[in-house]
Amino acid sequence: MHGHEKSDPAIVAMKPANGGGQPRKELVEPRAGAKGNAIEHSMRRTPSRESMSHGLDRVRQASQQRRDEKFTALLHHIDVELLGSAYGWLRKEASAGVDRVTWADYGEGLEDRLTDLHDRIHRGTYRAQPSRRVYIPKPDGRERPLGEAGQGSGGVAVGIARRGIAALEDKIVQRALVEVLNAIWEEDFLGFSYGFRPGRGQHDALDALAVGIDQRKVNWILDADIAGFFDAVNHDWLIKFVEHRVSDRRVVRLIRKWLKAGVMEDGRVTPGEVGTPQGAVISPLLANIYLHYVFDLWADQWRKRHAHGDIIMVRGACPCEGGG
């Protein structure tokens, strides 16, 4: 998909696909003096990559070979085994949500819990829970919601876009679904997209910037930030973008449940009307899907059709914006 991106081939490396199966060509601009960095990074697999089922390999292959494919049957990939792996991939020290259940608590009788969770997912009786609002102290002694942007020196906003902690079962199901959806969208995402993607990180984004600054005749550097992005995502458009590739109504229904779950504070629930789920494991992937259609595809076409001269684009993300 990116084999003819508008870049100087003398400084462009081919990087193996982030997923398993056959590698796919994807353009990455490595940092000068960091030979092999991109390849090495791609080999640092998460446990999910190592234990990927053959079923998801077939999903990935279908996504790569048929760009217009809409996947009608995905939920069956979320089985007890994948839920168990998803539980293992969560951060063990993370705070509890409204369920007050920690990672260690859920591990007691884990097999029975996962079997019951699996049954509820496939019967349609699984219910998403609201995120738990948590406050943290500010330097002036006051408190603000966890993740709400504060003010740093010079009036620069600091903090992350989320203001809540998800319930543990929601994290498990979301992490499992992320695994399934990554098999589709990792074949679609463009080469200059670095945020929240498996096998990629902010250092890779810096590599791309460094090579442009160091090896190109740079006249302008434009640094832009989407303020409050996670809090402003339009639900209707997000679902439309998901449905470009997913027509399994059960999967879409799960995503809608998380979007609408809202936040609980002092026993009161504020439903989600806009934005990605607060503190949710799936929020970074949903954000990438949204930005893929809203920004990445547009920017790529602008670069190819209208831009003059050499253009390097890098879209990263603050690592503090992830859930888990």
Side-chain angles (χ1 to χ4, degrees):
M1 185 171 185
H2 318 300
H4 302 288
E5 265 192 322
K6 199 172 182 180
S7 298
D8 184 350
I11 62 168
V12 176
M14 293 299 183
K15 178 181 178 181
N18 291 323
Q22 296 299 317
R24 177 172 64 89
K25 290 183 178 180
E26 185 175 38
L27 292 181
V28 180
E29 291 99 344
R31 182 175 61 230
K35 184 178 180 181
N37 182 64
I39 300 298
E40 177 186 354
H41 189 84
S42 72
M43 294 176 65
R44 295 199 291 269
R45 304 296 189 190
T46 64
S48 58
R49 301 280 80 79
E50 298 170 353
S51 60
M52 181 70 71
S53 72
H54 292 294
L56 291 184
D57 285 339
R58 289 192 292 271
V59 170
R60 181 181 298 105
Q61 291 168 7
S63 178
Q64 180 180 350
Q65 294 167 6
R66 300 186 292 276
R67 297 298 184 183
D68 295 329
E69 179 88 4
K70 287 190 176 183
F71 293 85
T72 60
L74 291 172
L75 193 66
H76 70 277
H77 291 291
I78 301 182
D79 53 21
V80 174
E81 181 181 1
L82 181 55
L83 290 172
S85 296
Y87 166 78
W89 298 329
L90 296 178
R91 289 188 289 120
K92 300 174 177 60
E93 72 282 1
S95 300
V98 296
D99 55 354
R100 300 293 179 176
V101 177
T102 66
W103 187 90
D105 293 336
Y106 201 84
E108 298 178 7
L110 179 63
E111 185 175 351
D112 290 340
R113 288 177 182 266
L114 293 177
T115 299
D116 175 66
L117 177 58
H118 171 268
D119 291 345
R120 282 184 279 128
I121 294 170
H122 289 269
R123 290 198 312 265
T125 58
Y126 159 78
R127 295 289 180 266
Q129 300 187 64
S131 296
R132 180 170 68 91
R133 176 66 57 83
V134 177
Y135 286 84
I136 58 176
K138 296 173 65 176
D140 61 5
R142 295 180 299 171
E143 292 185 330
R144 63 177 173 88
L146 175 65
E148 188 172 71
Q151 294 294 318
S153 58
V156 177
V158 295
I160 62 175
R162 254 166 233 60
R163 307 185 193 91
I165 299 173
L168 192 77
E169 281 198 339
D170 290 335
K171 291 180 181 180
I172 294 172
V173 183
Q174 289 173 17
R175 183 61 184 84
L177 186 58
V178 164
E179 196 71 13
V180 175
L181 297 183
N182 270 342
I184 299 172
W185 266 284
E186 277 300 306
E187 302 302 323
D188 288 356
F189 290 151
L190 302 192
F192 58 77
S193 168
Y194 291 90
F196 306 123
R197 293 181 59 186
R200 288 187 166 207
Q202 296 305 90
H203 291 293
D204 299 303
L206 292 175
D207 287 351
L209 287 175
V211 75
I213 295 171
D214 186 58
Q215 298 187 18
R216 299 281 182 90
K217 294 180 179 179
V218 177
N219 294 315
W220 296 93
I221 297 175
L222 176 62
D223 180 18
D225 178 45
I226 304 176
F229 169 72
F230 281 86
D231 290 336
V233 169
N234 182 284
H235 289 178
D236 291 335
W237 277 109
L238 175 58
I239 293 299
K240 289 178 181 179
F241 295 147
V242 170
E243 291 177 334
H244 279 317
R245 289 295 243 159
V246 175
S247 58
D248 187 331
R249 305 312 305 167
R250 299 168 299 172
V251 170
V252 175
R253 192 177 303 118
L254 277 178
I255 295 174
R256 286 187 183 277
K257 287 181 178 181
W258 293 320
L259 290 175
K260 301 299 183 183
V263 178
M264 177 179 287
E265 181 179 7
D266 296 331
R268 298 180 59 183
V269 176
T270 303
E273 301 293 341
V274 67
T276 56
Q278 297 183 4
V281 178
I282 200 170
S283 286
L285 175 59
L286 295 180
N288 267 340
I289 292 172
Y290 194 92
L291 286 172
H292 174 71
Y293 293 104
V294 169
F295 177 78
D296 294 357
L297 293 179
W298 167 82
D300 190 49
Q301 290 302 311
W302 173 83
R303 173 166 68 172
K304 292 175 179 177
R305 297 178 180 180
H306 304 290
H308 299 284
D310 292 330
I311 304 291
I312 288 182
M313 291 185 179
V314 175
R315 181 172 67 77
C318 173
C320 59
E321 288 176 332

